[in-house]
Amino acid sequence: FLANPLTYILLRICLFLEATGICSGAWVIAALLKKIIGYKRDEVYIGTAEERAKMDMADNETLLSLGAGHVLKLPGFYESAPVALRDLLIEDEGVADYVKNVYGSD
């Protein structure tokens, strides 16, 4: 992949832009893809928040069992955890306390 001269040149340009602080290299790639493929803003495809609300497509936070940024509790986490993690939970109380705090069980 990086042996391709075009990829290497594009990478060097992006790294140069990153180093100058003008903008992130990802923005350059995104702009190129927008020109080539014709990507549009999300509002074109899904509408604005106001338009979705008018069409009864508003965000329904009651359907979320947990809020954004909260860890989803995995069923059977402890039983199916790797042996190294189970050993670490036994050996290090700090790790065990953290996992108990996050998952709310032993």
Side-chain angles (χ1 to χ4, degrees):
F1 175 71
L2 287 176
N4 183 344
L6 181 64
T7 304
Y8 182 75
I9 291 169
L10 219 103
L11 175 67
R12 298 296 289 186
I13 291 169
C14 290
L15 289 174
F16 173 75
L17 282 172
E18 289 274 352
T20 63
I22 295 172
C23 69
S24 173
W27 286 97
V28 175
I29 294 173
L32 287 172
L33 287 175
K34 183 178 178 183
K35 290 276 188 195
I36 294 169
I37 298 173
Y39 288 138
K40 296 177 181 65
R41 297 184 57 86
D42 287 344
E43 288 81 9
V44 174
Y45 302 107
I46 62 172
T48 63
E50 293 81 16
E51 291 170 346
R52 290 194 317 271
K54 285 181 188 175
M55 296 186 298
D56 199 25
M57 295 174 59
D59 298 335
N60 188 353
E61 293 182 12
T62 60
L63 296 176
L64 298 174
S65 59
L66 296 173
H70 295 279
V71 177
L72 178 66
K73 293 176 176 57
L74 301 174
F77 173 75
Y78 295 99
E79 295 79 21
S80 61
V83 174
L85 178 58
R86 283 185 277 172
D87 292 343
L88 183 62
L89 290 170
I90 293 168
E91 294 170 7
D92 191 338
E93 288 183 26
V95 174
D97 290 341
Y98 174 76
V99 172
K100 286 177 189 175
N101 184 30
V102 170
Y103 285 96
S105 62
D106 295 312

